[in-house]
Amino acid sequence: MQTQDRTKVTSVDAAIAASQNYLLSIQYPDGYWWAELESNVTITAEAVLLHKIWGTDKTRPLHKAETYLRREQRSHGGWELFYGDGGNLSTSVEAYMALKLLGVPATDPAMQKAREFILERGGISKTRIFTKMHLALIGCYNWRGLPSIPPWIMLLPESFPFTIYEMSSWARSSTVPLLIVFDRKPIYITNPSITLDELYTEGAENVRFELPRNNDWTDVFVWLDDAFKLAENLNLVPFREEGLKAAEKWVLERQEETGDWGGIIPAMLNSLLGLRCLDYDVNDPIVERGLQAVDRFAVETEDIYWVQPCVSPVWDTALVMRSLLDSGIAPNHPALVRGGEWLLSKQILDYGDWAVKNKQGKPGAWAFEFVNRFYPDVDDSAVVVMALNGVQLPNEELKQAVIARAVAWIATMQCRDGGWAAFDLDNNADWLNQLPYGDLKAMIDPNTADVTARVLEMLGRGNFSIDPSNFDRALNYLKNEQEAEGCWYGRWGVNYIYGTSGVLAALSLVAPESHRSNIERGAAWLVSCQNADGGWGETCFSYDNPALKGQGDSTASQTAWALIGLLAAGEATGKFEKEAIDRGINYLVTAQRSDGTWDEDYFTGTGFPCHFYLKYHLYLQHFPLTALGRYRAIFAQ
């Protein structure tokens, strides 16, 4: 081995050891790994509003939320959807609202700067539907400007062309309680009571409280909304009370013993708002549990208090375990055994909402969070199966039975198009995204390339099998999803680098010969968008503008994804892009800090493309370790 290569191997070895030591040091005693999941400030702002509405604000450290909101304000006066986006109108209005609810006067310099930013971008009238809803709850917007949602949709039979189960799991769990809220149209007096008249560009007295029109076929939904509103005003809404009772029952049935709803803050906050509209008492155990569940999503330090949109221990644990295995930790290492046994204990053996459309599947999947019986997902389950398959546990027979049940469930979740979605089967009624209520364009959960690739990678790594015709359908789906440039769209990670990495990791295992040209085109695209510093990066703006595919400042997580894809492609084709790979590895080694960690400011996780982004605080730790470990396994022999 030449001196230069030996030096490189030594530096990779050192980087791997430092990263392993760090990850092993942060494992929780119960066996799991878990880190913060960061989004924008609206989650915290809406939690502040909820506590003001319930009168529970004095029992939470919300003065620290003020510090957090002030810290997150940018020099332009606004608040961001994701790091470096230049500020977002709806996010900024909600932050401003929360600060006012916390007693910050409009004359405060930070508020004056924020108001300037907001007015320049059109003010409250240009914000999203859910921002307006939160303002309407405290009389700062008129309910007339919000869509009506007839409660009778809860009563539609399964045979009907539309039911609530045509909505994505996250939209469904957030919307059902809002049927109650939008019907009641409450206005709550908070302490302090506030107005936001100063945030209307046209002046509060000139606001036209109406739904926006697009001057195309989608305006039919606005006409329908006019009819719904007329029926409300005349008290002619059919089955109104029956629908509200069904919504209440649905919400109560889906609360976990821990108080959570749906495992996500929007569903939890909306469910608590729905119960408030139904005059539940703050001391009711259902309410108390719900408020405690929200508290568990909060992060409090000496100075700040903020609320996460979700928690990700199952996802974090499985991915960390994979990185440790890929980097050479023994399969029976005590840390991996503890992690594996914790994952075994988290398998969900209850039927959830997925069973409404999937009549064949039997329970056996995992959810993202600590507790979420109703909403396990395919992506988590596939990664958990791969993690478990790689470790040696004291009860291997149980492990194999657990895996078999999960693989069988995943097989039944394949969609008609040949791919897999995250939470549901054939949840692809795209017209729902055209509803005025659906302005986040996240009303459905269609199959995607990244989740489909995860399933195929699981099948390849574990040597599992599914029906050959279904396997071929999945391969054809991925082939058809490849972009002209050779990349794949990433629904759950930013963006084309994420999608391409995942598909290359899958195809290299399950179809290296039949899909060689697809693999080579994907690898060539990754090489084409490598940055001058050797890393890779991609901005969240690539969802808004596909011309930005693969473009952005280098990050540790996205560099790792690109390397994982290139290494997989090289193994499949026998042709490694060695220069690009070496430069990427050098970027990771050089960027690593002395404690074995990496740092990045950018958001590389996706909630709703174009509208909601995430920063997983462990992505930048375990994905680089996976890339370094796989590199060493191939080239350091």
Side-chain angles (χ1 to χ4, degrees), residues 66-112:
E66 178 188 335
T67 306
Y68 162 74
L69 291 169
R70 286 182 180 276
R71 188 194 73 179
E72 293 300 308
Q73 188 179 21
R74 300 296 175 241
S75 58
H76 48 60
W79 284 262
E80 297 172 325
L81 201 58
F82 57 86
Y83 177 79
D85 75 348
N88 176 266
L89 173 61
S90 293
T91 305
S92 300
V93 168
E94 292 196 36
Y96 185 100
M97 169 201 71
L99 286 171
K100 257 201 151 180
L101 286 170
L102 292 170
V104 179
T107 54
D108 184 286
M111 301 290 271
Q112 291 177 330

Side-chain angles (χ1 to χ4, degrees), residues 166-411:
E166 295 301 325
M167 291 188 281
S168 60
S169 61
W170 55 87
R172 185 186 322 133
S173 60
S174 299
T175 297
V176 172
L178 289 185
L179 294 176
I180 302 167
V181 178
F182 277 58
D183 180 84
R184 291 290 193 258
K185 298 177 175 51
I187 297 175
Y188 296 106
I189 306 302
T190 60
N191 183 18
S193 61
I194 66 168
T195 65
L196 295 175
D197 290 356
E198 68 270 23
L199 298 187
Y200 287 99
T201 303
E202 66 272 48
E205 67 283 357
N206 299 317
V207 179
R208 297 178 64 181
F209 296 106
E210 58 185 17
L211 297 178
R213 296 175 186 268
N214 300 315
N215 297 315
D216 58 25
W217 72 269
T218 61
D219 284 350
V220 70
F221 296 123
V222 181
W223 303 335
L224 281 173
D225 190 75
D226 290 340
F228 291 152
K229 283 185 168 58
L230 178 61
E232 285 178 346
N233 292 336
L234 297 175
N235 197 24
L236 294 176
V237 178
F239 304 107
R240 184 177 194 168
E241 290 305 317
E242 293 90 338
L244 291 172
K245 287 184 183 302
E248 179 184 6
K249 181 174 182 288
W250 194 95
V251 168
L252 296 180
E253 287 175 344
R254 277 157 184 75
Q255 186 181 34
E256 303 286 354
E257 288 185 8
T258 52
D260 303 66
W261 280 279
I264 54 173
I265 278 290
M268 293 158 67
L269 299 185
N270 291 352
S271 295
L272 286 163
L273 288 172
L275 297 178
R276 181 74 176 86
C277 289
L278 294 173
D279 296 323
Y280 275 65
D281 188 84
V282 70
N283 295 308
D284 188 295
I286 292 170
V287 174
E288 178 62 21
R289 283 182 185 177
L291 291 170
Q292 288 176 1
V294 174
D295 291 340
R296 283 192 292 273
F297 278 44
V299 176
E300 183 182 3
T301 70
E302 186 178 342
D303 303 311
I304 64 171
Y305 176 91
W306 60 282
V307 181
Q308 301 173 93
C310 191
V311 292
S312 54
V314 171
W315 185 242
D316 289 345
T317 299
L319 288 169
V320 169
M321 287 174 62
R322 290 197 70 195
S323 73
L324 292 171
L325 287 163
D326 283 330
S327 61
I329 296 290
N332 62 350
H333 187 285
L336 292 178
V337 171
R338 289 199 305 275
E341 293 193 318
W342 184 80
L343 287 175
L344 290 182
S345 75
K346 290 299 171 182
Q347 188 176 37
I348 298 169
L349 300 176
D350 300 297
Y351 284 91
D353 277 11
W354 55 270
V356 171
K357 298 182 79 171
N358 179 353
K359 304 300 185 184
Q360 286 75 44
K362 295 180 179 179
W366 283 267
F368 191 68
E369 306 86 355
F370 285 107
V371 179
N372 192 0
R373 290 178 302 132
F374 289 94
Y375 302 106
D377 70 277
V378 172
D379 212 5
D380 274 278
S381 299
V383 174
V384 170
V385 166
M386 287 188 276
L388 288 175
N389 192 59
V391 298
Q392 294 176 11
L393 300 181
N395 191 338
E396 278 290 303
E397 291 79 10
L398 173 63
K399 184 190 86 171
Q400 293 303 331
V402 163
I403 288 174
R405 181 177 272 272
V407 172
W409 179 81
I410 290 170

Side-chain angles (χ1 to χ4, degrees), residues 6 82 153 295 425 447 536 580:
R6 189 180 298 112
F82 57 86
I153 68 171
D295 291 340
L425 183 66
N447 41 201
W536 279 264

